[in-house]
Amino acid sequence: MTKLKPWLPLIGIGVFAVLLLVVAPSVLSMHWLNNLGKYCCWAIAAVGIGLAWGRGGMLVLGQGVFFGLGAYAMAMHLTLEGTPAGSLPVFMILYDPSGSLPPFWEPFRSDAFTLAAIVVLPVIVAGVLGYALFKRRIKGAYFAILSQALAVALAVLISSTIRETGGDTGLSDFKYFFGFVLDDDANKVMVFMIAAALLIVCLLVVWQLNRSRFGELLIATRDAEERVRFLGYDPANIKLVAYVVAALMASIAGAMFVPIVGIITPAEIGASASILMIAGVALGGRASLFGPALGAMAIGWGQSSLGSSWPDGWVYILGLVFILVTLFLPMGLSSLFGKAKGLVWRSRAAPVEPAPVAAPELEEVNR
């Protein structure tokens, strides 16, 4: 029984994959399937946050930066895919009819370049940024503030470059996804399946990292960084790998978010969006495998359902849930399973008191 325990998460991932890839497309309407695809995108980013924050102790409040890098790379490609060669996107014509296409837009006409940018760009940015911060031993609240400041700076930069990025209006009205018409329901299901499959792959990657020697070193770095350094390992390199993996997952999430939702704006990558990702991870349980993904999906459902019908009250509900979880369940809802399991084991292991012996039987024993 003990030998099967390391494989239980793998069985859970298999069940989760069946629910997403088989059950959901067959029972959900197109509206809810599209919403579930959006939740899967947030869950992909949350899985990376769980690795960096839950296992590595790095409060990454600026994942909106990498989410935005992937999202805008995909959005520029989809915009150009629906624009005839030699013409400008519609929003550029509105702001400057006589202008030309910005040079950094042109490579995104290529499918291969776009996919490479979604993967390589966040790795480079996170690698340079993480190396600069971790080598200087910046951590804790300082690291969290710096990471969130970058998300705010990127959102402000995009808002101020109206002609190049659409500004606060963002990029929208996508018609094609690598040659497939996005208005076709069959293609919408295909895009959802890609997002769900990527979520499963990210869970498998984190599961493998957690059970590897790197996962042990990451936890050791979180709990006793100086001891890890004393043993001959560089904690900066260990944290850097986790940070880069989390950034890559956030970029992939942003790239899939664009064709599913159909729009990307600075509001989706700023400080509030980054905090929303953190809230989902905290709710589900940052140190568990499934907790971050399920928590992000729950927060996404709340934002879509309650946020649309009760936008003012939803913010207070989210704040209340975050406070209650922080106070009473600091390890998230996933810790309830561990507590329940501990209670069951303690009740089974409790010593059984011997039944009282009757007085005549005691006399026989004394004789």
Side-chain angles (χ1 to χ4, degrees), residues 168-300:
D168 291 330
T169 307
L171 301 176
S172 61
D173 193 25
F174 309 118
K175 295 180 175 60
Y176 301 98
F177 177 74
F178 294 93
F180 295 93
V181 180
L182 283 174
D183 286 339
D184 190 347
D185 287 347
N187 293 335
K188 290 181 181 180
V189 174
M190 178 196 67
V191 175
F192 163 79
M193 297 287 280
I194 294 174
L198 287 172
L199 173 57
I200 299 302
V201 171
C202 290
L203 286 171
L204 287 171
V205 169
V206 172
W207 171 75
Q208 180 61 37
L209 289 175
N210 289 345
R211 63 193 296 267
S212 66
R213 184 167 182 79
F214 169 78
E216 297 176 355
L217 287 172
L218 188 61
I219 295 177
T221 302
R222 178 196 65 189
D223 298 336
E225 184 172 328
E226 293 303 323
R227 291 187 180 182
V228 172
R229 185 176 287 106
F230 178 77
L231 292 174
Y233 297 98
D234 189 352
N237 294 335
I238 299 170
K239 292 192 288 186
L240 180 61
V241 172
Y243 185 59
V244 169
V245 171
L248 176 58
M249 291 184 181
S251 178
I252 293 173
M256 293 309 303
F257 181 86
V258 169
I260 291 175
V261 178
I263 187 173
I264 184 67
T265 66
E268 302 291 345
I269 66 174
S272 59
S274 299
I275 292 175
L276 200 65
M277 297 179 193
I278 290 289
V281 175
L283 175 63
R286 64 181 185 270
S288 64
L289 178 62
F290 290 99
L294 296 178
M297 290 178 133
I299 292 294

Side-chain angles (χ1 to χ4, degrees), residues 3-298:
K3 293 181 180 180
L4 294 177
K5 286 183 179 180
W7 297 96
L8 287 179
L10 190 60
I11 297 174
I13 293 174
V15 174
F16 195 46
V18 172
L19 291 175
L20 286 178
L21 300 174
V22 179
V23 177
S26 59
V27 301
L28 294 180
S29 65
M30 190 56 61
H31 169 74
W32 282 108
L33 192 67
N34 195 65
N35 279 345
L36 183 59
K38 179 171 61 174
Y39 307 155
C40 287
C41 294
W42 286 333
I44 292 172
V47 170
I49 295 174
L51 177 68
W53 183 28
R55 294 278 173 166
M58 297 170 283
L59 183 55
V60 284
L61 285 177
Q63 290 303 92
V65 172
F66 309 109
F67 189 91
L69 290 176
Y72 272 91
M74 179 65 78
M76 286 190 291
H77 173 72
L78 299 186
T79 300
L80 292 175
E81 198 172 9
T83 303
S87 301
L88 291 177
V90 176
F91 78 93
M92 291 186 183
I93 297 176
L94 293 176
Y95 291 117
D96 188 5
S98 61
S100 59
L101 189 69
F104 68 90
W105 271 72
E106 193 62 41
F108 287 96
R109 291 189 185 274
S110 168
D111 297 352
F113 180 86
T114 301
L115 295 176
I118 292 170
V119 174
V120 175
L121 192 58
V123 170
I124 294 175
V125 174
V128 173
L129 179 63
Y131 185 85
L133 294 178
F134 299 140
K135 286 297 183 178
R136 288 169 173 77
R137 303 187 184 182
I138 297 175
K139 54 185 178 180
Y142 299 102
F143 174 79
I145 293 172
L146 284 172
S147 62
Q148 190 175 43
L150 289 173
V152 175
L154 180 62
V156 172
L157 176 63
I158 294 176
S159 298
S160 61
T161 54
I162 298 176
R163 187 188 177 281
E164 290 79 8
T165 62
D168 291 330
T169 307
L171 301 176
S172 61
D173 193 25
F174 309 118
K175 295 180 175 60
Y176 301 98
F177 177 74
F178 294 93
F180 295 93
V181 180
L182 283 174
D183 286 339
D184 190 347
D185 287 347
N187 293 335
K188 290 181 181 180
V189 174
M190 178 196 67
V191 175
F192 163 79
M193 297 287 280
I194 294 174
L198 287 172
L199 173 57
I200 299 302
V201 171
C202 290
L203 286 171
L204 287 171
V205 169
V206 172
W207 171 75
Q208 180 61 37
L209 289 175
N210 289 345
R211 63 193 296 267
S212 66
R213 184 167 182 79
F214 169 78
E216 297 176 355
L217 287 172
L218 188 61
I219 295 177
T221 302
R222 178 196 65 189
D223 298 336
E225 184 172 328
E226 293 303 323
R227 291 187 180 182
V228 172
R229 185 176 287 106
F230 178 77
L231 292 174
Y233 297 98
D234 189 352
N237 294 335
I238 299 170
K239 292 192 288 186
L240 180 61
V241 172
Y243 185 59
V244 169
V245 171
L248 176 58
M249 291 184 181
S251 178
I252 293 173
M256 293 309 303
F257 181 86
V258 169
I260 291 175
V261 178
I263 187 173
I264 184 67
T265 66
E268 302 291 345
I269 66 174
S272 59
S274 299
I275 292 175
L276 200 65
M277 297 179 193
I278 290 289
V281 175
L283 175 63
R286 64 181 185 270
S288 64
L289 178 62
F290 290 99
L294 296 178
M297 290 178 133

